[in-house]
Amino acid sequence: MKLNKFWFIIAAVFLIGIAFTMVADNEFYFYATYAVMQLMIMGIAWNILGGFTGYVNFGSGGFFAAGAYTTVFLHRAFDAPPLLIAVLVAPMVCGLIGLGVGYFTLRLKGVYFAIATLAVAIILETIVVNWEFVGGAGGYYLLIPENVVFFDSYIEWLFVLILAITLIAIIVSRYLNSSKIGQGLAAIRDDELAAESMGVPTLKLKLISTTVMGGLMGAAGAPFPYFITFVEPASAFNLLVAVMAIAVPMIGGTASWIGPVIGGLLLGTIQETVTVNISSELNLLIVGVVLVGFISLAPQGITGLYQDFMRKRRKGND
Amino acid sequence: MIELFINAVVAGVLLGGFYAAVALGLSIVFGRLDIVNIAHPAFVIIGSYMAFYVNENFGLDPIVTSFLFLPVFFLLGIGMYRFYYICFERTGQESLSGLAYFFGIMFIIEVLIILVYGVDYRNVQAPYIGYSLWINDWIPLGGFRVSLPYRMLVPFAVAAVVTGGVYLYLSKTYLGRAILAVSQDRVALQLMGANPIKVKQWAFGIAIATAAIAGALLIVIHPVEPSVGRLYIGRVFAIVILGGMGSISGTFFAALMIGIAETLISTFIGPSWAPAAAYGILLVTLAVRPQGLFGRA
Amino acid sequence: MTEPILSVTNLTKRFGGFVALDGVNVSLGDKERLGLIGPNGSGKTTLINCISGALFNEQGKVNFAGSDVTGTTASRRAKLGIIRTFQIPRPFRSMTIIENLLIPMEYAASGRMESRNLRDQAMESLEIVGLQDRADENSANLTQIDMRRLELARALSAKPSLLLSDETMAGLSSSEVDEVLDMLFALNERGVAVIMIEHIMRAVMKYSERIVVLDAGKKIADGSPDEIVNNRDVERAYLGE
């Protein structure tokens, strides 16, 4: 997608989003699209380390929760500051955690790295469970402010906020993908040893990858407490978050920023329809089965299938 | 205080023995075949629920049940490996997708169990649960009272026997040694007339079969609910890696160490910190000595 | 003799209790062609790994182009101009042939590239190895000899001043060996010093200005091809007493 066209679409989407808040009167749409966009951000974040760099990690849920709990901490410590502050602080905190975790775990080979990230997430969860200040195992309640500047209700503000974060995530992802860094990451993914011997500073790039992933996940998690009003470790650190973060790009396609967006849209829509109409457990089952199905049969995801299809059509036309 | 300590260590040993049974299957599959079956604990939970089902409806002892179900789990293991081989090993995609694949499987298993049984805790009834053996009745311990609850002693004994059995199988029988060989040199194995795929299949079947037994032991020790498996992921990987990849005896000793570490932390610091113990040990091992205590370098 | 481009002094590398390299001293002149031979397991690849940075030596120093690179990362050394090829080629499988070359151009050679279009410069490297017509093909399914060509083209694109060639000719037919030999001569003519590990003796004899022989981690001979051929220690190492 050409650069100018890209920026045009980004700007257009944002403006449409804002216009939407002035026109729509049913709040359900905001809740639903919030969830979908949150999935997209998580997928984009995971994909930077998992898809672009080839380092599968199971601990991304930990960064999401860390973002949420940063908001909780700020809420408690500074008597409910504006959410925007948390949204700016959380990515920095989580990016730093990502950097630290990366520094200690990236020396490990693929498999060990994945397990180590899971370990880190569980340890983070254990710390939070034992930390009374942010509510511990019992959880933490948040009161949504009565009045919001500019918008009719708080959920509209959350909607615009998450929309902005999603667009930023897309911009970051696209930049990483198409830049020299992105090529370096792809080289690491294809063959780390060869990449290193061809001058790619693998540790440095991998650290950039984990930091960005941590930051974006933290950004996704920061508004979450306001969205859900009650945060507890069991749901914030829930395995489902980690699974979703993996499922979204693996289904949508890991090669570029578009994959997680498509995957998020698809999975988010399935989630909303099934959960509301049938049951939430069945929804989880469907997600799991679709994930395994795509991993086994179409590891390049939907974008991969589309590219295969286009290639075959081109061959047919020659 | 000392009595507390002794009881904690003893409980840790018993717990550790049980952990060894859980980690056994992964030691074979991850340690020997390099297949990262992160879903192994989920299969253990299936074993637990199967034991629960039979125990509730037919009154059979859970551990006996699990032995009856061995063939089923064995076939399940073979099936799992076949599918994994066709989708991943054959195409060389192991690392990225294979890992995510088992992650997805684990998730599906957990959700299926929730769908069938819900999220309530389930447990089993057996004549020995609820009773303890007091060592000080048999051996004078200078006033200290040390108890061995049967619900932990029996699983420990079974786990030790099963671990020993697997160890002997791998080192003494033809197929067992073929499994050891396939991890070291596939081509040599082929040249000697054994089909590596069939060997790996067999190994995976054995691994999942041990999960059946471990599951029964688990539900004897404490009630289970569908997400319990997740707590075990870190434990089993910590055990397998700490013990040294592919070393059965290493797995057993590492399991004991982790069991003792957990009970000590639980007793003296707090039970809510215990789950992190194994994960913490795992990270330290990976950082300091990734080949484990007894592993091949 | 002018300042050597590479000097390895007293290099020792251990794997646990096993001593793979024991106090090895090698130096290489600017633009020199050095053959590195020795029985299997003598430590040749380990030495290459220690020079390129894939492994770190416990003792000794590696000096390249006047600076001490001991302990620096392989990517750092690649940026300085030390480039190695792998015994078993390691292409970047998700990329096309020409995309494979962009990586070393953008990273290893980033200080040394001309400001012309990168693709044009990559095509020149492809022409030297004969892959220019297949530049946009995917690199995953090449034949053995084509993979070796790609490996060499990639090394070329990194604009090395020292190339470490690890058994590039292993398993090739006689005419293919000659092709690779020509490419390596062409490389040397452009000013690149080369250390060549090979078991194919006629290639080593033809190519090397000087030969170093390793046995069980120690250097046992260092001289011209004629000297090496007549060296009793070398004969003993390969054939036994």
PDB file of all heavy atoms in Angstrom, chain A residues 58 111 114-115 118, chain B residues 26 29-30 35-43 98-107 229-230 232-234 236-237:
ATOM      1  N   PHE A  58       4.512 -16.868  24.790  1.00  0.00           N
ATOM      2  CA  PHE A  58       3.237 -17.131  25.435  1.00  0.00           C
ATOM      3  C   PHE A  58       2.967 -16.168  26.560  1.00  0.00           C
ATOM      4  O   PHE A  58       1.983 -16.294  27.256  1.00  0.00           O
ATOM      5  CB  PHE A  58       3.228 -18.558  26.002  1.00  0.00           C
ATOM      6  CG  PHE A  58       3.369 -19.609  24.949  1.00  0.00           C
ATOM      7  CD1 PHE A  58       4.233 -20.664  25.123  1.00  0.00           C
ATOM      8  CD2 PHE A  58       2.638 -19.540  23.790  1.00  0.00           C
ATOM      9  CE1 PHE A  58       4.371 -21.638  24.155  1.00  0.00           C
ATOM     10  CE2 PHE A  58       2.767 -20.500  22.808  1.00  0.00           C
ATOM     11  CZ  PHE A  58       3.637 -21.551  22.991  1.00  0.00           C
ATOM     12  N   VAL A 111      12.356 -22.326  21.603  1.00  0.00           N
ATOM     13  CA  VAL A 111      11.452 -23.031  22.509  1.00  0.00           C
ATOM     14  C   VAL A 111      11.613 -22.563  23.940  1.00  0.00           C
ATOM     15  O   VAL A 111      10.643 -22.271  24.631  1.00  0.00           O
ATOM     16  CB  VAL A 111      11.737 -24.544  22.429  1.00  0.00           C
ATOM     17  CG1 VAL A 111      11.159 -25.250  23.613  1.00  0.00           C
ATOM     18  CG2 VAL A 111      11.180 -25.098  21.152  1.00  0.00           C
ATOM     19  N   ALA A 114      10.102 -19.214  24.533  1.00  0.00           N
ATOM     20  CA  ALA A 114       8.645 -19.212  24.661  1.00  0.00           C
ATOM     21  C   ALA A 114       8.229 -19.609  26.067  1.00  0.00           C
ATOM     22  O   ALA A 114       7.364 -18.982  26.674  1.00  0.00           O
ATOM     23  CB  ALA A 114       8.027 -20.175  23.644  1.00  0.00           C
ATOM     24  N   ILE A 115       8.856 -20.649  26.588  1.00  0.00           N
ATOM     25  CA  ILE A 115       8.496 -21.108  27.929  1.00  0.00           C
ATOM     26  C   ILE A 115       8.902 -20.076  28.965  1.00  0.00           C
ATOM     27  O   ILE A 115       8.180 -19.826  29.937  1.00  0.00           O
ATOM     28  CB  ILE A 115       9.171 -22.459  28.225  1.00  0.00           C
ATOM     29  CG1 ILE A 115       8.671 -23.481  27.217  1.00  0.00           C
ATOM     30  CG2 ILE A 115       8.889 -22.907  29.634  1.00  0.00           C
ATOM     31  CD1 ILE A 115       9.466 -24.736  27.222  1.00  0.00           C
ATOM     32  N   LEU A 118       6.363 -17.434  29.288  1.00  0.00           N
ATOM     33  CA  LEU A 118       5.213 -17.888  30.064  1.00  0.00           C
ATOM     34  C   LEU A 118       5.537 -17.799  31.544  1.00  0.00           C
ATOM     35  O   LEU A 118       4.720 -17.346  32.354  1.00  0.00           O
ATOM     36  CB  LEU A 118       4.872 -19.338  29.686  1.00  0.00           C
ATOM     37  CG  LEU A 118       3.615 -19.907  30.346  1.00  0.00           C
ATOM     38  CD1 LEU A 118       2.398 -19.130  29.902  1.00  0.00           C
ATOM     39  CD2 LEU A 118       3.446 -21.374  30.002  1.00  0.00           C
TER      40      LEU A 118
ATOM     41  N   LEU B  26       6.587 -35.633  29.469  1.00  0.00           N
ATOM     42  CA  LEU B  26       7.251 -34.519  28.789  1.00  0.00           C
ATOM     43  C   LEU B  26       8.737 -34.774  28.646  1.00  0.00           C
ATOM     44  O   LEU B  26       9.376 -34.376  27.681  1.00  0.00           O
ATOM     45  CB  LEU B  26       7.016 -33.220  29.572  1.00  0.00           C
ATOM     46  CG  LEU B  26       7.424 -31.981  28.790  1.00  0.00           C
ATOM     47  CD1 LEU B  26       6.453 -31.738  27.654  1.00  0.00           C
ATOM     48  CD2 LEU B  26       7.476 -30.772  29.696  1.00  0.00           C
ATOM     49  N   VAL B  29       9.021 -36.791  25.564  1.00  0.00           N
ATOM     50  CA  VAL B  29       8.652 -36.119  24.324  1.00  0.00           C
ATOM     51  C   VAL B  29       9.510 -34.881  24.042  1.00  0.00           C
ATOM     52  O   VAL B  29       9.935 -34.641  22.917  1.00  0.00           O
ATOM     53  CB  VAL B  29       7.150 -35.770  24.422  1.00  0.00           C
ATOM     54  CG1 VAL B  29       6.807 -34.572  23.599  1.00  0.00           C
ATOM     55  CG2 VAL B  29       6.323 -36.952  24.017  1.00  0.00           C
ATOM     56  N   PHE B  30       9.772 -34.112  25.073  1.00  0.00           N
ATOM     57  CA  PHE B  30      10.576 -32.905  24.881  1.00  0.00           C
ATOM     58  C   PHE B  30      12.046 -33.223  25.022  1.00  0.00           C
ATOM     59  O   PHE B  30      12.882 -32.741  24.276  1.00  0.00           O
ATOM     60  CB  PHE B  30      10.135 -31.848  25.896  1.00  0.00           C
ATOM     61  CG  PHE B  30      10.819 -30.518  25.752  1.00  0.00           C
ATOM     62  CD1 PHE B  30      11.099 -29.986  24.506  1.00  0.00           C
ATOM     63  CD2 PHE B  30      11.171 -29.778  26.861  1.00  0.00           C
ATOM     64  CE1 PHE B  30      11.717 -28.760  24.366  1.00  0.00           C
ATOM     65  CE2 PHE B  30      11.782 -28.549  26.737  1.00  0.00           C
ATOM     66  CZ  PHE B  30      12.056 -28.039  25.493  1.00  0.00           C
ATOM     67  N   ILE B  35       9.991 -32.466  20.859  1.00  0.00           N
ATOM     68  CA  ILE B  35       8.649 -31.971  20.532  1.00  0.00           C
ATOM     69  C   ILE B  35       8.143 -31.220  21.753  1.00  0.00           C
ATOM     70  O   ILE B  35       8.074 -31.771  22.846  1.00  0.00           O
ATOM     71  CB  ILE B  35       7.670 -33.129  20.234  1.00  0.00           C
ATOM     72  CG1 ILE B  35       8.195 -33.940  19.058  1.00  0.00           C
ATOM     73  CG2 ILE B  35       6.291 -32.588  19.936  1.00  0.00           C
ATOM     74  CD1 ILE B  35       7.346 -35.157  18.774  1.00  0.00           C
ATOM     75  N   VAL B  36       7.811 -29.959  21.550  1.00  0.00           N
ATOM     76  CA  VAL B  36       7.451 -29.166  22.712  1.00  0.00           C
ATOM     77  C   VAL B  36       5.965 -29.295  22.990  1.00  0.00           C
ATOM     78  O   VAL B  36       5.165 -28.445  22.613  1.00  0.00           O
ATOM     79  CB  VAL B  36       7.769 -27.688  22.494  1.00  0.00           C
ATOM     80  CG1 VAL B  36       7.730 -26.962  23.813  1.00  0.00           C
ATOM     81  CG2 VAL B  36       9.118 -27.546  21.850  1.00  0.00           C
ATOM     82  N   ASN B  37       5.598 -30.372  23.654  1.00  0.00           N
ATOM     83  CA  ASN B  37       4.194 -30.594  23.934  1.00  0.00           C
ATOM     84  C   ASN B  37       3.792 -29.834  25.186  1.00  0.00           C
ATOM     85  O   ASN B  37       3.706 -30.398  26.285  1.00  0.00           O
ATOM     86  CB  ASN B  37       3.921 -32.088  24.097  1.00  0.00           C
ATOM     87  CG  ASN B  37       2.454 -32.355  24.339  1.00  0.00           C
ATOM     88  OD1 ASN B  37       1.629 -31.440  24.284  1.00  0.00           O
ATOM     89  ND2 ASN B  37       2.132 -33.591  24.629  1.00  0.00           N
ATOM     90  N   ILE B  38       3.523 -28.554  24.982  1.00  0.00           N
ATOM     91  CA  ILE B  38       3.159 -27.727  26.116  1.00  0.00           C
ATOM     92  C   ILE B  38       1.772 -28.134  26.622  1.00  0.00           C
ATOM     93  O   ILE B  38       1.351 -27.716  27.710  1.00  0.00           O
ATOM     94  CB  ILE B  38       3.203 -26.243  25.697  1.00  0.00           C
ATOM     95  CG1 ILE B  38       3.258 -25.346  26.910  1.00  0.00           C
ATOM     96  CG2 ILE B  38       2.024 -25.878  24.831  1.00  0.00           C
ATOM     97  CD1 ILE B  38       3.468 -23.907  26.538  1.00  0.00           C
ATOM     98  N   ALA B  39       1.072 -28.956  25.849  1.00  0.00           N
ATOM     99  CA  ALA B  39      -0.260 -29.400  26.251  1.00  0.00           C
ATOM    100  C   ALA B  39      -0.231 -30.630  27.139  1.00  0.00           C
ATOM    101  O   ALA B  39      -1.286 -31.122  27.539  1.00  0.00           O
ATOM    102  CB  ALA B  39      -1.102 -29.697  24.999  1.00  0.00           C
ATOM    103  N   HIS B  40       0.936 -31.123  27.455  1.00  0.00           N
ATOM    104  CA  HIS B  40       1.014 -32.351  28.255  1.00  0.00           C
ATOM    105  C   HIS B  40       0.203 -32.265  29.547  1.00  0.00           C
ATOM    106  O   HIS B  40      -0.545 -33.203  29.863  1.00  0.00           O
ATOM    107  CB  HIS B  40       2.471 -32.708  28.555  1.00  0.00           C
ATOM    108  CG  HIS B  40       2.647 -34.011  29.250  1.00  0.00           C
ATOM    109  ND1 HIS B  40       2.539 -35.226  28.606  1.00  0.00           N
ATOM    110  CD2 HIS B  40       2.868 -34.299  30.539  1.00  0.00           C
ATOM    111  CE1 HIS B  40       2.721 -36.204  29.467  1.00  0.00           C
ATOM    112  NE2 HIS B  40       2.927 -35.680  30.658  1.00  0.00           N
ATOM    113  N   PRO B  41       0.317 -31.169  30.310  1.00  0.00           N
ATOM    114  CA  PRO B  41      -0.505 -31.101  31.528  1.00  0.00           C
ATOM    115  C   PRO B  41      -1.997 -31.184  31.242  1.00  0.00           C
ATOM    116  O   PRO B  41      -2.754 -31.682  32.078  1.00  0.00           O
ATOM    117  CB  PRO B  41      -0.130 -29.736  32.127  1.00  0.00           C
ATOM    118  CG  PRO B  41       1.215 -29.434  31.585  1.00  0.00           C
ATOM    119  CD  PRO B  41       1.221 -30.022  30.219  1.00  0.00           C
ATOM    120  N   ALA B  42      -2.408 -30.713  30.085  1.00  0.00           N
ATOM    121  CA  ALA B  42      -3.834 -30.801  29.744  1.00  0.00           C
ATOM    122  C   ALA B  42      -4.246 -32.266  29.605  1.00  0.00           C
ATOM    123  O   ALA B  42      -5.347 -32.652  30.000  1.00  0.00           O
ATOM    124  CB  ALA B  42      -4.121 -30.035  28.454  1.00  0.00           C
ATOM    125  N   PHE B  43      -3.366 -33.077  29.044  1.00  0.00           N
ATOM    126  CA  PHE B  43      -3.680 -34.510  28.947  1.00  0.00           C
ATOM    127  C   PHE B  43      -3.749 -35.138  30.326  1.00  0.00           C
ATOM    128  O   PHE B  43      -4.550 -36.046  30.582  1.00  0.00           O
ATOM    129  CB  PHE B  43      -2.630 -35.232  28.094  1.00  0.00           C
ATOM    130  CG  PHE B  43      -2.751 -34.920  26.643  1.00  0.00           C
ATOM    131  CD1 PHE B  43      -1.900 -34.009  26.039  1.00  0.00           C
ATOM    132  CD2 PHE B  43      -3.739 -35.520  25.871  1.00  0.00           C
ATOM    133  CE1 PHE B  43      -2.021 -33.702  24.696  1.00  0.00           C
ATOM    134  CE2 PHE B  43      -3.867 -35.229  24.528  1.00  0.00           C
ATOM    135  CZ  PHE B  43      -3.008 -34.311  23.941  1.00  0.00           C
ATOM    136  N   GLY B  98       4.639 -25.418  15.510  1.00  0.00           N
ATOM    137  CA  GLY B  98       4.423 -26.576  16.370  1.00  0.00           C
ATOM    138  C   GLY B  98       4.122 -26.155  17.786  1.00  0.00           C
ATOM    139  O   GLY B  98       3.231 -26.679  18.442  1.00  0.00           O
ATOM    140  N   LEU B  99       4.868 -25.201  18.256  1.00  0.00           N
ATOM    141  CA  LEU B  99       4.683 -24.676  19.602  1.00  0.00           C
ATOM    142  C   LEU B  99       3.287 -24.093  19.768  1.00  0.00           C
ATOM    143  O   LEU B  99       2.554 -24.407  20.703  1.00  0.00           O
ATOM    144  CB  LEU B  99       5.717 -23.564  19.779  1.00  0.00           C
ATOM    145  CG  LEU B  99       6.247 -23.244  21.148  1.00  0.00           C
ATOM    146  CD1 LEU B  99       6.657 -24.504  21.844  1.00  0.00           C
ATOM    147  CD2 LEU B  99       7.421 -22.319  20.986  1.00  0.00           C
ATOM    148  N   ALA B 100       2.920 -23.227  18.823  1.00  0.00           N
ATOM    149  CA  ALA B 100       1.614 -22.592  18.895  1.00  0.00           C
ATOM    150  C   ALA B 100       0.514 -23.642  18.769  1.00  0.00           C
ATOM    151  O   ALA B 100      -0.549 -23.510  19.375  1.00  0.00           O
ATOM    152  CB  ALA B 100       1.482 -21.538  17.799  1.00  0.00           C
ATOM    153  N   TYR B 101       0.784 -24.693  17.982  1.00  0.00           N
ATOM    154  CA  TYR B 101      -0.180 -25.766  17.796  1.00  0.00           C
ATOM    155  C   TYR B 101      -0.529 -26.420  19.127  1.00  0.00           C
ATOM    156  O   TYR B 101      -1.698 -26.562  19.487  1.00  0.00           O
ATOM    157  CB  TYR B 101       0.391 -26.791  16.825  1.00  0.00           C
ATOM    158  CG  TYR B 101      -0.306 -28.124  16.813  1.00  0.00           C
ATOM    159  CD1 TYR B 101      -1.549 -28.271  16.212  1.00  0.00           C
ATOM    160  CD2 TYR B 101       0.285 -29.241  17.379  1.00  0.00           C
ATOM    161  CE1 TYR B 101      -2.178 -29.497  16.191  1.00  0.00           C
ATOM    162  CE2 TYR B 101      -0.340 -30.459  17.361  1.00  0.00           C
ATOM    163  CZ  TYR B 101      -1.571 -30.581  16.758  1.00  0.00           C
ATOM    164  OH  TYR B 101      -2.184 -31.795  16.736  1.00  0.00           O
ATOM    165  N   PHE B 102       0.484 -26.804  19.884  1.00  0.00           N
ATOM    166  CA  PHE B 102       0.214 -27.465  21.154  1.00  0.00           C
ATOM    167  C   PHE B 102      -0.437 -26.504  22.137  1.00  0.00           C
ATOM    168  O   PHE B 102      -1.250 -26.905  22.963  1.00  0.00           O
ATOM    169  CB  PHE B 102       1.499 -28.037  21.752  1.00  0.00           C
ATOM    170  CG  PHE B 102       1.900 -29.342  21.122  1.00  0.00           C
ATOM    171  CD1 PHE B 102       3.038 -29.433  20.357  1.00  0.00           C
ATOM    172  CD2 PHE B 102       1.107 -30.457  21.290  1.00  0.00           C
ATOM    173  CE1 PHE B 102       3.392 -30.630  19.771  1.00  0.00           C
ATOM    174  CE2 PHE B 102       1.455 -31.666  20.713  1.00  0.00           C
ATOM    175  CZ  PHE B 102       2.598 -31.744  19.938  1.00  0.00           C
ATOM    176  N   PHE B 103      -0.081 -25.245  22.030  1.00  0.00           N
ATOM    177  CA  PHE B 103      -0.721 -24.239  22.857  1.00  0.00           C
ATOM    178  C   PHE B 103      -2.219 -24.223  22.576  1.00  0.00           C
ATOM    179  O   PHE B 103      -3.049 -24.182  23.488  1.00  0.00           O
ATOM    180  CB  PHE B 103      -0.092 -22.881  22.539  1.00  0.00           C
ATOM    181  CG  PHE B 103      -0.398 -21.807  23.517  1.00  0.00           C
ATOM    182  CD1 PHE B 103       0.070 -21.891  24.812  1.00  0.00           C
ATOM    183  CD2 PHE B 103      -1.130 -20.699  23.155  1.00  0.00           C
ATOM    184  CE1 PHE B 103      -0.190 -20.890  25.728  1.00  0.00           C
ATOM    185  CE2 PHE B 103      -1.391 -19.703  24.062  1.00  0.00           C
ATOM    186  CZ  PHE B 103      -0.932 -19.787  25.343  1.00  0.00           C
ATOM    187  N   GLY B 104      -2.557 -24.259  21.281  1.00  0.00           N
ATOM    188  CA  GLY B 104      -3.962 -24.293  20.889  1.00  0.00           C
ATOM    189  C   GLY B 104      -4.656 -25.557  21.378  1.00  0.00           C
ATOM    190  O   GLY B 104      -5.791 -25.512  21.864  1.00  0.00           O
ATOM    191  N   ILE B 105      -3.973 -26.688  21.272  1.00  0.00           N
ATOM    192  CA  ILE B 105      -4.542 -27.961  21.727  1.00  0.00           C
ATOM    193  C   ILE B 105      -4.854 -27.886  23.219  1.00  0.00           C
ATOM    194  O   ILE B 105      -5.917 -28.306  23.681  1.00  0.00           O
ATOM    195  CB  ILE B 105      -3.567 -29.123  21.462  1.00  0.00           C
ATOM    196  CG1 ILE B 105      -3.384 -29.343  19.971  1.00  0.00           C
ATOM    197  CG2 ILE B 105      -4.049 -30.404  22.129  1.00  0.00           C
ATOM    198  CD1 ILE B 105      -4.548 -30.015  19.299  1.00  0.00           C
ATOM    199  N   MET B 106      -3.895 -27.352  23.969  1.00  0.00           N
ATOM    200  CA  MET B 106      -4.080 -27.242  25.408  1.00  0.00           C
ATOM    201  C   MET B 106      -5.333 -26.419  25.711  1.00  0.00           C
ATOM    202  O   MET B 106      -6.144 -26.775  26.567  1.00  0.00           O
ATOM    203  CB  MET B 106      -2.860 -26.554  26.008  1.00  0.00           C
ATOM    204  CG  MET B 106      -3.035 -26.134  27.439  1.00  0.00           C
ATOM    205  SD  MET B 106      -1.625 -25.182  27.995  1.00  0.00           S
ATOM    206  CE  MET B 106      -1.949 -23.640  27.214  1.00  0.00           C
ATOM    207  N   PHE B 107      -5.467 -25.344  24.977  1.00  0.00           N
ATOM    208  CA  PHE B 107      -6.605 -24.466  25.177  1.00  0.00           C
ATOM    209  C   PHE B 107      -7.908 -25.186  24.855  1.00  0.00           C
ATOM    210  O   PHE B 107      -8.881 -25.112  25.605  1.00  0.00           O
ATOM    211  CB  PHE B 107      -6.424 -23.235  24.285  1.00  0.00           C
ATOM    212  CG  PHE B 107      -7.441 -22.178  24.513  1.00  0.00           C
ATOM    213  CD1 PHE B 107      -7.485 -21.494  25.704  1.00  0.00           C
ATOM    214  CD2 PHE B 107      -8.365 -21.874  23.529  1.00  0.00           C
ATOM    215  CE1 PHE B 107      -8.421 -20.508  25.919  1.00  0.00           C
ATOM    216  CE2 PHE B 107      -9.304 -20.893  23.740  1.00  0.00           C
ATOM    217  CZ  PHE B 107      -9.344 -20.207  24.934  1.00  0.00           C
ATOM    218  N   GLY B 229      -4.383 -27.492  35.009  1.00  0.00           N
ATOM    219  CA  GLY B 229      -3.286 -27.890  34.125  1.00  0.00           C
ATOM    220  C   GLY B 229      -2.276 -26.776  33.915  1.00  0.00           C
ATOM    221  O   GLY B 229      -1.077 -27.012  33.842  1.00  0.00           O
ATOM    222  N   ARG B 230      -2.774 -25.552  33.833  1.00  0.00           N
ATOM    223  CA  ARG B 230      -1.884 -24.437  33.548  1.00  0.00           C
ATOM    224  C   ARG B 230      -0.811 -24.250  34.600  1.00  0.00           C
ATOM    225  O   ARG B 230       0.310 -23.847  34.305  1.00  0.00           O
ATOM    226  CB  ARG B 230      -2.688 -23.147  33.443  1.00  0.00           C
ATOM    227  CG  ARG B 230      -3.111 -22.868  32.051  1.00  0.00           C
ATOM    228  CD  ARG B 230      -3.780 -21.559  31.967  1.00  0.00           C
ATOM    229  NE  ARG B 230      -5.210 -21.689  31.888  1.00  0.00           N
ATOM    230  CZ  ARG B 230      -6.045 -20.810  32.426  1.00  0.00           C
ATOM    231  NH1 ARG B 230      -5.583 -19.805  33.116  1.00  0.00           N
ATOM    232  NH2 ARG B 230      -7.336 -20.969  32.287  1.00  0.00           N
ATOM    233  N   TYR B 232       0.670 -26.460  36.012  1.00  0.00           N
ATOM    234  CA  TYR B 232       1.677 -27.501  35.870  1.00  0.00           C
ATOM    235  C   TYR B 232       2.625 -27.283  34.709  1.00  0.00           C
ATOM    236  O   TYR B 232       3.665 -27.921  34.630  1.00  0.00           O
ATOM    237  CB  TYR B 232       1.006 -28.873  35.748  1.00  0.00           C
ATOM    238  CG  TYR B 232       0.595 -29.406  37.085  1.00  0.00           C
ATOM    239  CD1 TYR B 232      -0.602 -29.034  37.669  1.00  0.00           C
ATOM    240  CD2 TYR B 232       1.445 -30.242  37.795  1.00  0.00           C
ATOM    241  CE1 TYR B 232      -0.946 -29.491  38.911  1.00  0.00           C
ATOM    242  CE2 TYR B 232       1.108 -30.714  39.039  1.00  0.00           C
ATOM    243  CZ  TYR B 232      -0.089 -30.331  39.603  1.00  0.00           C
ATOM    244  OH  TYR B 232      -0.420 -30.776  40.837  1.00  0.00           O
ATOM    245  N   ILE B 233       2.264 -26.386  33.802  1.00  0.00           N
ATOM    246  CA  ILE B 233       3.125 -26.168  32.636  1.00  0.00           C
ATOM    247  C   ILE B 233       4.517 -25.775  33.098  1.00  0.00           C
ATOM    248  O   ILE B 233       5.527 -26.368  32.712  1.00  0.00           O
ATOM    249  CB  ILE B 233       2.569 -25.066  31.718  1.00  0.00           C
ATOM    250  CG1 ILE B 233       1.201 -25.450  31.196  1.00  0.00           C
ATOM    251  CG2 ILE B 233       3.520 -24.820  30.556  1.00  0.00           C
ATOM    252  CD1 ILE B 233       0.563 -24.374  30.357  1.00  0.00           C
ATOM    253  N   GLY B 234       4.544 -24.757  33.944  1.00  0.00           N
ATOM    254  CA  GLY B 234       5.845 -24.290  34.414  1.00  0.00           C
ATOM    255  C   GLY B 234       6.566 -25.357  35.193  1.00  0.00           C
ATOM    256  O   GLY B 234       7.769 -25.563  35.038  1.00  0.00           O
ATOM    257  N   VAL B 236       6.339 -28.697  35.032  1.00  0.00           N
ATOM    258  CA  VAL B 236       6.912 -29.800  34.269  1.00  0.00           C
ATOM    259  C   VAL B 236       8.089 -29.345  33.421  1.00  0.00           C
ATOM    260  O   VAL B 236       9.092 -30.045  33.300  1.00  0.00           O
ATOM    261  CB  VAL B 236       5.868 -30.542  33.399  1.00  0.00           C
ATOM    262  CG1 VAL B 236       4.846 -31.230  34.259  1.00  0.00           C
ATOM    263  CG2 VAL B 236       5.229 -29.635  32.410  1.00  0.00           C
ATOM    264  N   PHE B 237       7.991 -28.162  32.836  1.00  0.00           N
ATOM    265  CA  PHE B 237       9.133 -27.712  32.051  1.00  0.00           C
ATOM    266  C   PHE B 237      10.315 -27.422  32.941  1.00  0.00           C
ATOM    267  O   PHE B 237      11.464 -27.709  32.604  1.00  0.00           O
ATOM    268  CB  PHE B 237       8.764 -26.484  31.207  1.00  0.00           C
ATOM    269  CG  PHE B 237       8.131 -26.850  29.900  1.00  0.00           C
ATOM    270  CD1 PHE B 237       6.770 -26.805  29.747  1.00  0.00           C
ATOM    271  CD2 PHE B 237       8.917 -27.266  28.846  1.00  0.00           C
ATOM    272  CE1 PHE B 237       6.178 -27.170  28.547  1.00  0.00           C
ATOM    273  CE2 PHE B 237       8.338 -27.625  27.639  1.00  0.00           C
ATOM    274  CZ  PHE B 237       6.963 -27.578  27.488  1.00  0.00           C
TER     275      PHE B 237
END
